[in-house]
Every structure is written in C-alpha cells, then in structure tokens.
Amino acid sequence: MDIAEQLQKIGQTAREEMSAADSADVLEKLRVHYLGKKGELTSILRGLKDLSREEKREVGGQANKLKTELDRIIEDRREELSSAISIDSSFDFTLPGRPRHYGHRHLVTIVMDQINGIFQRMGFEIADGPDIESDYYNFEALNFPPDHPARDEQDTFYVEGGSLLRTHTSGVQIREFEKRKPPVKIIAPGKVFRNEAVNARSYCVFHQVEGFYVDENVTFGDLKGVLEAFCYEFFQESVQLRFRPSFFPFTEPSAEVDVRCFLCNGKGCSLCKHEGWLEILGCGMIDPEVFKAVGYDSDKVTGYAFGIGVERPALLKHRVNDIRLLFENDIRFIKQFR
Ligand code: PHE
C-alpha cells in the first residue's frame, strides 16, 4: 500500500469512528489514536522527510489536508456532545412529574377585582389615591370638625410631618372633584388603615372600594338601587340586606348596609359579633359642605357616595370566619382561593 492509499484509508476509518463517538472520552481516545504524538497520521507526517521532493509535495499536501479535516471533525463533534442532553439509562421515565407551584392572586385581590368589575359594568370609572394622605383630604375637606374623635391618634396612624395613613378612601372623592366637573361617576379601590382593636371582623389594615356619583338629580333611590344591584350580583344568592340610618360628616342623610351573616345564617357567631348581621359599607348623599370645598354648585348638582369594605364581603362569600386569616398569609389557607 503506498502512502496515498494509506492516507485515504486512515481518513475513511477516522471519519466514521469520530462521527460515531458517543462521549468526550471516546473522542479523546480517537484523537490520540490518529493525531497524538504516536498517532497514525502523525507518524505518516513524520515519515515525510524520508521521501523525495516530489512525493513530499504531493503526499505532504494530502496528509496536511487530512489533519486539518480531522481536527475540525473532532472540534465539531466535541461541541455536539457537550450540548446534547445525556440520557441516563437509570432514569425512570414513568415516574410522575414534580408538582410546580404557581403563584396566584390573593383572595383580597380577587374579590376587589370582582367588586371593581361589577361597578365598571354599571358605568363607573376607576381612580386611585395615595395611601399616605394629608389631614385636608382625609378629614378637613370631608367636613370633619377639628375635634372629631376619628382624628385622635387612637384611631388614626400619623406619619412624621403631620401626614397620616388614610383611614378611608373617601379622600379620593375630593381629589377627583378638584380635577373634574360633574357628571362624575367613579370608584376608587384601595388600602386603608385604622389604629383599632384587632378581632375576627376588624384588622388594622383593610381595603375599601369608594364609589361616588355626582350629577343633576341624583337621588338616594339611585344609591339604594346601585348598592342592591351590587350585593345581588356579588353574593349571587338570596342575600338579605339591611339599610340602617347612620352618620358621616360628609354625607347627609347617611346609612350603613348590613348583610345577613352567611356563616351562622343570622343565628350569631364570632364573625358577626353574635348579631346575625355584618356591616359591609357606609353610604349617603354627599353633604353640600363637601361640594363647597371643591367649588361645585350644590344648588345644581347632587350626588351619592359609598365605601364598601372588601374583606368582610370576601369572608362572607367564602365562609371564612376570621379576617386575620387574610393577612397572616399562611399558604395552606391562601392557596384554597384562586
Ligand atoms: N368612609 C366611610 C368609612 O370608611 C364610608 C363612607 C363612604 C360613608 C362614602 C359614606 C360615603 O366608614
């Protein structure tokens, strides 16, 4: 066999073996076998010096070409092997997969979105206000007298510099009235804070959805209709409602709405304080003093406002008996509501 034939043969087997190599180890062995110091091709290259000039040129050219080719094949194959996923034969493909835990919205967010959705379908726009509020928007413009007990530190969390954590979402009424002219029909969902005793139905932080509508000839009947429509849609069963006269400095007349307790069917339990009813919202006709503060003409327009708590309707609807569960965020509780 002359050298040219030898080269051809080496080339052929090397190509086959290298492309069949199924691991980096096998590939390395082949590299040593052909291209290492004592490799088959290396010895041919080394023997070239004994050949005539002419042969040297011809065979040398071929041998060098083959060496470059094999180097490249090894390089490429090495890359293929390192990016390939090696399949371990001891792996049991019939094993069930590991469960993945996906995050989801919190029950409070779910319920708040539902409440927003119901009012949006009734034509309310959504507005937003800050959690840290000034005395003006939280109290003064809403007709709270300077000595009103709600301003007491026992009820309100104050922040350095005289600001406070809003105790209700009603301040958004003022912020929006300042920006717009009637008709105004808005809901404002958000967090509120109260420095009061924590128990099964009250927590120091909770959420409200404020709603307000100002236009010509808005009546208490409109307010009642909207709130009843909301409750029937939200609770989706024969919910029993009770409109009870109440007082707020920024509405006149004012009312609170109670829902028959779902947990005890009115018999009395820790959620409803053994009263059989749970208060879920405050409402009323916007006081002319509020219109005065924002420059609306109370001879021309009237309006209603309401503030619905989010957590209590959530507890009633899902029959959860303690508001604290919504804030402790024990994952075993939270994941039951998606
Ligand atoms: N802001 C009142 C509260 O938090 C609720 C309310 C809103 C009452 C709007 C009347 C009108 O208790």
Side-chain angles (χ1 to χ4, degrees):
M1 215 176 350
D2 68 11
I3 299 184
E5 277 175 348
Q6 267 183 7
L7 280 176
Q8 228 183 6
K9 203 149 173 253
I10 292 173
Q12 205 180 333
T13 42
R15 279 185 211 103
E16 279 169 17
E17 288 173 358
M18 284 172 183
S19 51
D22 58 0
S23 75
D25 278 358
V26 173
L27 197 62
E28 177 58 13
K29 276 188 193 128
L30 289 170
R31 191 193 62 79
V32 173
H33 178 79
Y34 290 104
L35 303 168
K37 267 189 198 146
K38 291 178 192 155
E40 271 189 55
L41 187 56
T42 316
S43 17
I44 289 181
L45 283 164
R46 207 171 276 147
L48 287 178
K49 63 178 189 319
D50 304 327
L51 299 178
S52 70
R53 271 183 96 181
E54 218 149 281
E55 278 176 315
K56 226 186 254 177
R57 195 184 309 131
E58 208 190 302
V59 183
Q62 280 176 22
N64 276 318
K65 222 170 110 196
L66 182 60
K67 178 171 165 15
T68 320
E69 188 196 335
L70 295 184
D71 278 337
R72 143 92 26 85
I73 291 177
I74 288 177
E75 182 90 354
D76 290 353
R77 187 73 193 131
R78 192 172 282 149
E79 235 164 71
E80 272 172 34
L81 286 170
S82 71
S83 61
I85 299 163
S86 70
I87 295 171
D88 179 351
S89 58
S90 67
F91 189 82
D92 181 355
F93 287 95
T94 66
L95 282 174
R98 289 208 190 94
R100 270 171 188 270
H101 300 286
Y102 292 105
H104 58 86
R105 288 177 305 161
H106 189 281
L107 178 58
V108 170
T109 312
I110 294 172
V111 167
M112 193 142 71
D113 288 350
Q114 281 168 350
I115 297 175
N116 292 343
I118 294 172
F119 285 107
Q120 278 178 301
R121 289 193 287 281
M122 292 197 261
F124 287 80
E125 280 177 66
I126 294 202
D128 195 18
D131 290 356
I132 299 177
E133 192 49 289
S134 66
D135 179 274
Y136 181 76
Y137 287 110
N138 196 77
F139 293 127
E140 191 181 330
L142 289 164
N143 196 33
F144 278 81
D147 56 352
H148 192 281
R151 294 185 174 210
D152 200 311
E153 275 185 48
Q154 284 201 325
D155 298 302
T156 302
F157 291 110
Y158 284 89
V159 181
E160 263 173 60
S163 298
L164 49 86
L165 300 185
R166 64 176 173 186
T167 57
H168 55 181
T169 42
S170 298
V172 187
Q173 289 182 39
I174 307 297
R175 290 183 171 274
E176 291 304 310
F177 292 153
E178 283 178 347
K179 280 189 262 181
R180 307 171 188 239
K181 291 266 152 285
V184 177
K185 196 176 182 187
I186 286 175
I187 53 165
K191 255 192 195 79
V192 302
F193 309 83
R194 288 190 195 168
N195 193 0
E196 61 187 4
V198 168
N199 58 40
R201 77 211 139 264
S202 303
Y203 202 69
C204 48
V205 187
F206 59 101
H207 297 79
Q208 287 185 331
V209 176
E210 187 82 10
F212 40 98
Y213 176 38
V214 178
D215 201 350
E216 288 172 18
N217 303 317
V218 176
T219 67
F220 196 91
D222 295 328
L223 170 62
K224 208 171 167 216
V226 156
L227 292 176
E228 280 177 351
F230 161 73
C231 289
Y232 294 138
E233 187 167 347
F234 178 80
F235 291 108
Q236 284 190 346
E237 27 192 308
S238 46
V239 56
Q240 271 179 277
L241 302 178
R242 183 167 83 172
F243 278 75
R244 186 165 39 73
S246 185
F247 174 81
F248 298 101
F250 42 95
T251 49
E252 181 60 33
S254 305
E256 284 176 310
V257 174
D258 301 334
V259 171
R260 190 97 182 146
C261 185
F262 281 48
L263 270 92
C264 60
N265 270 324
K267 284 194 203 86
C269 64
S270 64
L271 183 65
C272 64
K273 219 163 56 179
H274 303 284
E275 282 172 5
W277 296 90
L278 195 64
E279 179 216 317
I280 59 157
L281 66 89
C283 64
M285 300 305 290
I286 297 171
D287 196 292
E289 285 300 312
V290 173
F291 288 145
K292 209 189 278 172
V294 296
Y296 280 12
D297 183 351
S298 59
D299 289 333
K300 282 216 182 105
V301 293
T302 52
Y304 62 66
F306 55 82
I308 305 177
V310 175
E311 282 77 4
R312 286 184 184 175
L315 298 177
L316 287 173
K317 188 169 181 168
H318 297 280
R319 295 180 160 75
V320 176
N321 63 6
D322 198 312
I323 194 171
R324 287 167 285 204
L325 290 165
L326 296 175
F327 292 95
E328 282 162 4
N329 287 333
D330 184 325
I331 203 77
R332 294 165 300 180
F333 170 78
I334 295 302
K335 73 179 182 191
Q336 295 175 52
F337 309 95
R338 292 175 186 243

